[in-house]
Each structure stands twice: as C-alpha cells, then as structure tokens.
Amino acid sequence: MKSLLNFFLQRNQPDESAHVAMERLQIIVSHKKGANQQQPTTYLQDMQQELIAVIAKYVQVDNDNVKVNMAKAGSNDVLEINIALPETPQD
Amino acid sequence: MSQVIVITSGKGGVGKTTTSAAISTGLAIYGYKTVVIDFDVGLRNLDLVMGCERRVVYDIVNVIHGEANLQQALIRDKKHDNLYILPASQTRDKDALTDEGIATVIDALKEDFDFIICDSPAGIEKGALCAMYHADQAIIVTNPEISSVRDSDRILGILSSKSRRAVEGKDPIKEHLLVTRYSPERVTIGDMLNVTDICDILSIPLLGVIPESKSILKASNLGVPVTNDYQSDAGVAYNDAIKRLLGKKVPMRFVKENTKKGFFNTLFNRKRSRV
C-alpha cells in the first residue's frame, strides 16, 4: 500500500535528468537577448568564484556547496544564492 | 536578391551536413536556383550525402587558387536541374581558404543563384568563420543535449561579432534554430531537454524540429538527401522547416508523442521508465 502511495506521490517530482541539464545550462549560457543583453549571464560564474573567495575568508566551504542560480518569475529574473555552511563552525 | 544562409552549430556530429543537403534540395524543389558549398576543407562529406562524390573533379580551393573556374567546379545535382554543389578539397587544410578568395566566389554565385547555402565545419576556427562571414541568415543546428546547446550559444555570440554584417555594422544576421535528433518519447519521461527550454535558453526563433529517425542514415547510405523521402518523418519535418524558411506559417510537428495511450498504458510505461 505504501509503495502504491509513493508511486502516485512521486509522479510530479522533477527528478528527471533533463531538468538538471536545464538548470546547468542556465548558468553556463551567455547569449540572452532582450532585456538582459547588456548583462550576459556568464557573470554568474565569476560571481560564484568571488563569493566563494569571500566566504572562504571566514568559513571553509566547498565549491559544490555554493549554488548560484538565475530563474524567471513572470517578468522578473530571480537571483538565488544558496550557501551550505559546514556543520561545525571553524575557529 | 540572393540570400546566403550558413548552416552551423559549433559542435560536430549534430547534423549540419544532413541539414545542408536537405535544405538546399528542398529550396531547389520549390523552384529556387540553389548552390550548396562545403566549407569543411580536408574532411569533405557533403558530396557523399548529396550522392555526387564520383563526379568531383575540381573544388572550392582550386577555384580560390585559380586552378579552375567556378563553372568547372560546380556539380549539377542528378535529380534537380537548379541545384548545384561546390565541394571542398579533401587533401588541403582550412588555411587554403582565403578571405578574398571566398568573397570573390560568393559574389560570383550571387549573380546566378537565389540561395547560397554554406555548410560549416564544426568548431570556431578558420573554416567555420569563413562559412559564416558572408551570411544573411543562419540556421543553428542543435541537438537536445547540454553540450550542443552550449556550443550553439557560443556560435550565436560569434555570429553577432565576427560576421560581415556585424563587422560592417549592418542589420544583424537572421538566426533560426533547428533542433535535430529530437525524441518526444524521451522528452516525456524527462530524459531529454524539451524544445521549449532550448528555445528559451538560446532565445532565437524555432525553424523546425527534426525527429530522431532511421531515414537519416538510410538517406546518407544512398546519397539521396532526406527531403526526397516524403514517406519519412524526418523528410516531412525538413519540408516543413523549408516552408517556414520561405516565410510560410506551418504548425510544428514531431514535438509531442503522437501515439495516444490509454490510462493503464501510461501507468505501465511510467513505471517501466523509472526502473
């Protein structure tokens, strides 16, 4: 019974690999026409590097634990920065 | 007014030559006098896909270096009187192409032809730059695959900075996206990027979607461009794309799975796809 319930619940979860590909592309691709033409999204990569450099001054973080993402919400671009800090703070 | 159209992608193996052959054949079928030029010097293949490899005597490098004139190098298609192929050299490398030489060839072809289709080599080096330089329009061939999409993005950047229109500050090249090797079934189960997302990432108008099809290999085996195969899904999809290129409104096909499945069938397939 539980597995049947799981099966139906899982249906809408975005666990598809295409979804991951799309998220990765949004970061690496620079050619965005229209409103953003002056500010290509490649700066996301540079920004991620600089953010890591700043954070690394205070806490030890892994490159993989800093996620910078750009998403569209209606007509707005939403910048999402996700930093996972280590569990025990460094001295 | 003749139009120069480059077929490009950045990445290799996505279907540039197949597309060049299919589009040029289609334009000829619609009555336009068309020439298709292979810019892949050293690795020519367009002659094979067009089925004229045994009739190549002179090539574009011979013309550029004055060893043959243009009329001697142009090969007339067997089926269509208004379709010509200008092959690449198999023995030279890309450095044998000179900017002035290509400009002279393109200008001479413009006198005679409605459409000049430039089949670009992969990469972003000399051959690719030469193929795109004179373009009025560009067809960006992209597979629904992450590296192909990134390379297409890169090529769009180069088109808007290094083409003649960009350098001379004229109206920009008209860009079209052609998604090839598309498999709606894999998109449905989330294994493949969908065409809407690719359009969104690259922000250029969609010219067509060519489904993954057995008829493509069959066509190149036979040396007959797939546009001639009206029975095949890829042939039909290319025909639609050519109509759109000529300004007609044609609804997109092959974007969604066309088989209607029952509820239980869908359930069953879903479960199977997760395993």
Side-chain angles (χ1 to χ4, degrees), chain A residues 38-70:
Chain A
Q38 303 307 317
Q39 262 189 318
T41 43
T42 37
Y43 74 88
L44 284 179
Q45 272 177 313
D46 297 339
M47 192 164 71
Q48 179 161 355
Q49 288 309 315
E50 284 181 43
L51 278 170
I52 290 166
V54 171
I55 297 157
K57 276 199 209 165
Y58 303 96
V59 280
Q60 217 171 3
V61 284
D62 210 307
N63 270 17
D64 292 339
N65 288 334
V66 178
K67 293 240 162 41
V68 179
N69 213 347
M70 193 68 116

Side-chain angles (χ1 to χ4, degrees), chain A residues 7-8 10-11 15-19 21-22 24-26 28-33, chain B residues 146 149-150 153 156 175 189-193 197 200-204 267 270 274:
Chain A
F7 169 67
F8 280 105
Q10 267 178 7
R11 285 182 63 140
D15 60 349
E16 302 105 346
S17 62
H19 186 80
M22 185 59 188
R24 293 171 64 205
L25 273 171
Q26 275 166 335
I28 54 174
V29 159
S30 62
H31 184 88
K32 278 264 175 190
K33 282 192 174 164
Chain B
I146 190 163
V149 178
R150 171 152 82 174
D153 170 66
L156 286 168
E175 299 152 337
I189 60 171
D191 270 358
M192 185 178 271
L193 286 167
D197 284 350
D200 196 43
I201 286 277
L202 295 174
S203 317
I204 59 170
L267 266 183
R270 217 170 247 289
R274 281 187 190 283

Side-chain angles (χ1 to χ4, degrees), chain B residues 46-225:
Chain B
L46 181 69
D47 53 332
L48 287 174
V49 179
M50 297 291 294
C52 66
E53 72 277 9
R54 290 170 65 182
R55 294 193 287 146
V56 177
V57 182
Y58 296 109
D59 56 61
I60 189 168
V61 174
N62 294 135
V63 177
I64 286 172
H65 292 235
E67 296 147 7
N69 66 42
L70 195 51
Q71 300 313 316
Q72 289 174 299
L74 285 173
I75 303 168
R76 184 188 282 211
D77 186 67
K78 282 174 289 188
K79 276 206 178 79
H80 309 287
D81 282 351
N82 52 351
L83 176 61
Y84 289 80
I85 299 113
L86 182 55
S89 167
Q90 183 69 329
T91 51
R92 308 291 284 270
D93 61 41
K94 264 77 173 174
D95 296 328
L97 297 171
T98 63
D99 295 344
E100 308 75 45
I102 288 160
T104 312
V105 169
I106 299 272
D107 285 344
L109 291 172
K110 276 184 176 175
E111 300 280 311
D112 239 5
F113 289 91
D114 300 314
F115 285 102
I116 300 161
I117 309 295
C118 302
D119 180 18
S120 172
I124 51 172
E125 286 82 29
K126 180 84 183 170
L129 295 177
C130 285
M132 73 169 62
Y133 188 74
H134 296 275
D136 302 305
Q137 303 189 45
I139 296 175
I140 318 296
V141 183
T142 306
N143 286 171
E145 188 262 321
I146 190 163
S147 54
S148 176
V149 178
R150 171 152 82 174
D151 290 1
S152 295
D153 170 66
R154 180 95 171 91
I155 277 292
L156 286 168
I158 294 169
L159 280 170
S160 60
S161 62
K162 294 196 176 161
S163 64
R164 182 176 180 177
R165 282 177 173 270
V167 173
E168 292 178 359
K170 291 185 178 153
D171 289 342
I173 290 177
K174 193 175 175 196
E175 299 152 337
H176 311 271
L177 175 66
L178 187 73
V179 177
T180 56
R181 307 200 69 166
Y182 197 69
S183 171
E185 296 77 20
R186 301 195 68 186
V187 171
T188 306
I189 60 171
D191 270 358
M192 185 178 271
L193 286 167
N194 78 55
V195 66
T196 319
D197 284 350
I198 300 169
C199 287
D200 196 43
I201 286 277
L202 295 174
S203 317
I204 59 170
L206 182 65
L207 181 68
V209 176
I210 313 298
E212 172 81 62
S213 169
K214 288 177 180 166
S215 58
I216 300 284
L217 181 59
K218 219 171 92 184
S220 74
N221 286 343
L222 299 172
V224 178

